[in-house]
Amino acid sequence: MTNQTQSLEEPATTVQPDVDAVVVGAGFTGLYMMHRLRQEGITARGFDAAPDVGGTWYWNRYPGARCDIESMQYSFQFDEDLQQEWRWTERYASQPEILAYMGHVADRYNLRRDFTFDTRIEAATFDEASHTWMVETDGGEKIRTRYFIMGVGCLSAPIRPTFEGEVNYKGEVYQTSLWPKDPVDFTGKRVGIIGTGSSAIQSLPLIAKEAEHVYLYQRTPNFVVPAQNRSLSDEEVALIKSDYKGFRAKAYAGLTAFLFPRHDQSYFDLSPEERRIRLDEQWEIGGLPFLGAFNDILFDEEVNAEVAKYWRSRIDEIVEDPKIADLLTPDEFFGCKRLCAGTNYYETFNRDNVSLIDASNLGIERLTETGLRAEGVDYDLDAIVYATGFDAMTGSVTRIKITGTNGQTIQEKWADGPATYIGLTISGFPNMFNMVSAGSPSVLATMVTCAEQHGDWVADCLVHMRDNGLTLIDARPEAEQSWVDEVNRASQHSLRTRCDSWYVGSNVVGKARVFAPYIGGWPPYVQKCKDVVANGYEGFTLESL
Ligand code: N01
């Protein structure tokens, strides 16, 4: 490693890049990538549409926004000093704390220096003659770069449905994924929330505490388990920090790259009494770890149905009105959509100032001057909150006009679903790396851990290119196809593919239905990435000018 900044060795060509690499996004992925590039003496410029670092955590400032992976694990591990010095206050970090952490990382490694903020990358075009990308910003700047590195996130392209009559509505409008920086005061207001994904589930209880009345418009209910969030004690933090490396190593060896109480036992291995005890225990642990009660919840329909029954018995203990409990009960596999971790979500429906509106038939028909019309009823609303999700996994990539070899655009390439080689590269888009996205464990692992593994892989690759005088790396079509087959094969065993969700892209009209992340597990994925390198960048075409 070196701290000096030197340009990658360039062969004689008339077209020289302005920088070695352009990094898009200043979230976890972009920040770590920039850090690694700098360590290797590779020149880079970063861009982000936001005014500061944070990525999706910059924008998702809605009330109650919080991570569903434990904070001691949803953080960088590349620097022991960093992980020792930062003190997380809660089991699951809130958005402000995560943003503060990312700001701390940016300061500590002086990363803002290389980023241009308030600037969106609009287009990138590969020039086959010079093995470079021409990248264009919304400010009209053009940067020629050898490598184009996307760290644009899986859940960062917000979607908001358009309703008839929108222009007539005179009230306030908010979107959870683009929440204003200044606090929003709902005191005394009638608020309509559209959506029942994690964003609505986290924000409803807090908005309901303030507002005069909240109407939650539900098209499809979601399974929610209690997050069981709490403050972290000095003792438990100290215990992890006493061997943080060992703790991380254990997590790294697991299927999802994060540790949680997971029982490698089938539901059928236990007696009925033992099953109930196990489910009660996991319920107390809460959140995503609830799925660790048995190893076949997401693979066996009968087990899944039994767990859903247990879940319903717990909801019946909380929700006072059985009709509301019925409405809140999903008609799909438990945990098929990402399991939501909530705090007082179901309790909130016992409040007099909260109404659950079944919007599963006619839905939201139109917006009016004073509110909206849903299922034939007019509602007067002072504010409408859209908690309507994201064009997940691919949207943040396909919203950029990316053109690879032979004039092919990324939209054309991915028309039938995302095709990648090891989730990092796309055949026909040489010298481009698409990180922590489709084709890698990404959203099924800890995004931060994935960002580090990807950042290391890409940095090592660029050093290899430099050391060997290479100027082009492109995935071979047959290698990409075999990885796409592996991604598809892995997903077939899971019940997760069997419902509509953003994992399969069904929440975006016209999007190809493909289970986008790699569900084959973290260790096999990491091994595959290592094998590719050990075998001389197997599956890639490498060239020099
Ligand atoms: O989005 P979603 P989200 N009329 O897609 C509804 C992560 N995240 O932002 O299901 C009426 O889950 C839509 O209804 P339906 C996490 O990975 C994490 O909440 O399509 N409703 C659905 O209910 C999460 O899974 C955290 O019928 C409409 C909702 O909008 C992911 O982000 C917190 C509609 C969208 O739900 C996405 O969560 C927040 C319409 N026209 C987010 N259009 C944590 O870490 C859409 N909907 C805990």
Side-chain angles (χ1 to χ4, degrees):
M1 275 187 309
T2 165
N3 285 326
Q4 87 197 60
T5 298
Q6 64 185 63
S7 195
L8 292 180
E9 208 170 292
E10 291 302 331
T13 166
T14 48
V15 180
Q16 290 296 324
D18 303 315
V19 283
D20 298 325
V22 160
V23 176
V24 192
F28 279 107
T29 304
L31 288 178
Y32 184 65
M33 189 74 256
M34 190 60 84
H35 175 65
R36 287 293 282 112
L37 293 177
R38 211 189 266 171
Q39 279 183 324
E40 301 299 349
I42 294 169
T43 61
R45 281 191 66 189
F47 294 88
D48 199 294
D52 200 0
V53 300
T56 201
W57 292 108
Y58 180 88
W59 300 105
N60 283 266
R61 316 169 167 254
Y62 60 84
R66 187 178 291 288
C67 192
D68 58 2
I69 306 285
E70 292 187 347
S71 48
M72 295 293 288
Q73 306 194 58
Y74 193 79
S75 46
F76 287 121
Q77 57 186 295
F78 67 89
D79 184 336
E80 181 63 12
D81 290 344
L82 170 67
Q83 63 179 3
Q84 286 294 337
E85 78 198 11
W86 185 263
R87 171 64 160 93
W88 293 104
T89 63
E90 292 179 275
R91 180 181 180 202
Y92 295 108
S94 65
Q95 178 272 340
E97 196 167 19
I98 296 173
L99 200 58
Y101 171 76
M102 295 173 88
H104 170 73
V105 170
D107 289 342
R108 199 180 194 287
Y109 304 97
N110 195 11
L111 295 172
R112 288 190 182 88
R113 187 185 83 193
D114 294 324
F115 278 95
T116 304
F117 293 103
D118 288 311
T119 303
R120 190 175 285 283
I121 298 301
E122 292 206 317
T125 308
F126 188 67
D127 175 29
E128 295 175 48
S130 63
H131 294 179
T132 58
W133 285 90
M134 183 60 87
V135 179
E136 296 172 51
T137 73
D138 59 357
E141 193 185 357
K142 292 186 175 184
I143 307 106
R144 189 175 289 280
T145 176
R146 175 74 69 214
Y147 300 104
F148 181 50
I149 304 176
M150 303 277 286
V152 289
C154 293
L155 292 156
S156 51
I159 46 175
R160 180 172 138 182
T162 43
F163 296 113
E164 201 188 310
E166 255 180 29
V167 287
N168 303 326
Y169 177 61
K170 297 266 190 319
E172 300 162 28
V173 175
Y174 301 99
Q175 191 166 352
T176 48
S177 49
L178 294 169
W179 201 260
K181 218 172 165 186
D182 293 332
V184 179
D185 185 4
F186 289 114
T187 310
K189 290 181 181 158
R190 294 156 303 176
V191 184
I193 302 178
I194 303 174
T196 49
S198 289
S199 305
I201 280 154
Q202 291 183 328
S203 54
L204 169 75
L206 293 170
I207 294 176
K209 274 190 188 165
E210 250 179 49
E212 180 188 304
H213 201 98
V214 181
Y215 300 89
L216 183 73
Y217 299 94
Q218 170 184 281
R219 194 164 64 179
T220 319
N222 242 320
F223 285 106
V224 185
V225 296
Q228 311 288 20
N229 185 40
R230 54 179 167 72
S231 298
L232 285 175
S233 69
D234 287 343
E235 291 71 30
E236 61 190 314
V237 169
L239 185 67
I240 291 176
K241 286 189 175 177
S242 68
D243 181 21
Y244 220 147
K245 268 194 190 136
F247 177 77
R248 297 288 201 176
K250 263 192 227 151
Y252 212 84
L255 272 185
T256 54
F258 62 97
L259 283 176
F260 61 90
R262 183 205 306 269
H263 298 272
D264 196 13
Q265 253 179 329
S266 164
Y267 175 84
F268 299 110
D269 292 341
L270 278 69
S271 69
E273 296 72 35
E274 288 169 331
R275 290 170 192 160
R276 176 79 201 194
I277 291 168
R278 171 71 55 76
L279 286 164
D280 284 348
E281 281 168 4
Q282 295 291 121
W283 189 264
E284 289 314 311
I285 293 164
L288 291 177
F290 180 72
L291 289 168
F294 314 106
N295 62 12
D296 41 8
I297 297 179
L298 291 173
F299 299 96
D300 186 303
E301 289 188 32
E302 194 185 332
V303 175
N304 194 281
E306 289 301 323
V307 172
K309 250 193 242 164
Y310 170 85
W311 169 88
R312 176 60 200 255
S313 72
R314 300 303 304 246
I315 300 319
D316 284 339
E317 289 166 12
I318 304 171
V319 179
E320 288 161 7
D321 181 344
K323 283 197 199 112
I324 298 287
D326 281 347
L327 257 185
L328 289 168
T329 302
D331 180 20
E332 63 191 24
F333 292 119
F334 184 88
C336 181
K337 284 186 177 142
R338 191 177 182 92
L339 187 61
C340 298
T343 301
N344 294 328
Y345 179 64
Y346 292 116
E347 288 81 348
T348 299
F349 294 99
N350 296 333
R351 294 176 68 106
D352 293 338
N353 72 333
V354 174
S355 306
L356 177 65
I357 310 298
D358 178 8
S360 61
N361 298 306
L362 296 174
I364 292 161
E365 295 158 80
R366 62 174 168 274
L367 264 56
T368 63
E369 206 169 301
T370 55
L372 61 76
R373 185 172 180 79
E375 305 285 332
V377 178
D378 285 319
Y379 296 86
D380 283 342
L381 301 171
D382 302 303
I384 295 177
V385 174
Y386 289 81
T388 46
F390 303 87
D391 181 354
M393 308 302 300
T394 56
S396 47
V397 179
T398 55
R399 285 181 186 189
I400 302 175
K401 191 174 181 310
I402 300 172
T403 310
T405 53
N406 301 316
Q408 187 184 33
T409 63
I410 192 72
Q411 292 82 358
E412 290 163 350
K413 169 85 186 183
W414 281 2
D416 298 327
T420 76
Y421 181 43
I422 59 169
L424 270 164
T425 58
I426 302 162
S427 180
F429 294 78
N431 295 359
M432 169 173 155
F433 299 92
N434 186 41
M435 303 168 75
V436 195
S437 176
S440 70
S442 58
V443 286
L444 303 174
T446 313
M447 302 285 279
V448 190
T449 304
C450 203
E452 288 179 287
Q453 188 261 348
H454 278 190
D456 290 340
W457 196 96
V458 172
D460 291 348
C461 174
L462 299 203
V463 169
H464 174 83
M465 300 290 287
R466 177 176 66 193
D467 291 351
N468 291 281
L470 298 163
T471 51
L472 180 140
I473 179 166
D474 193 11
R476 293 207 182 107
E478 65 278 12
E480 181 179 83
Q481 188 54 51
S482 93
W483 182 248
V484 168
D485 293 344
E486 165 61 10
V487 172
N488 291 336
R489 182 205 61 73
S491 72
Q492 276 159 16
H493 302 292
S494 171
L495 296 177
R496 276 202 154 127
T497 57
R498 308 251 302 269
C499 68
D500 286 345
S501 73
W502 56 260
Y503 286 129
V504 296
S506 58
N507 62 329
V508 177
V509 179
K511 195 167 172 178
R513 190 186 177 101
V514 172
F515 192 84
Y518 177 58
I519 200 172
W522 179 251
Y525 174 75
V526 172
Q527 192 55 49
K528 172 71 183 175
C529 292
K530 283 184 182 160
D531 290 347
V532 165
V533 176
N535 295 328
Y537 287 89
E538 183 179 33
F540 286 104
T541 297
L542 301 170
E543 288 177 16
S544 52
L545 276 172

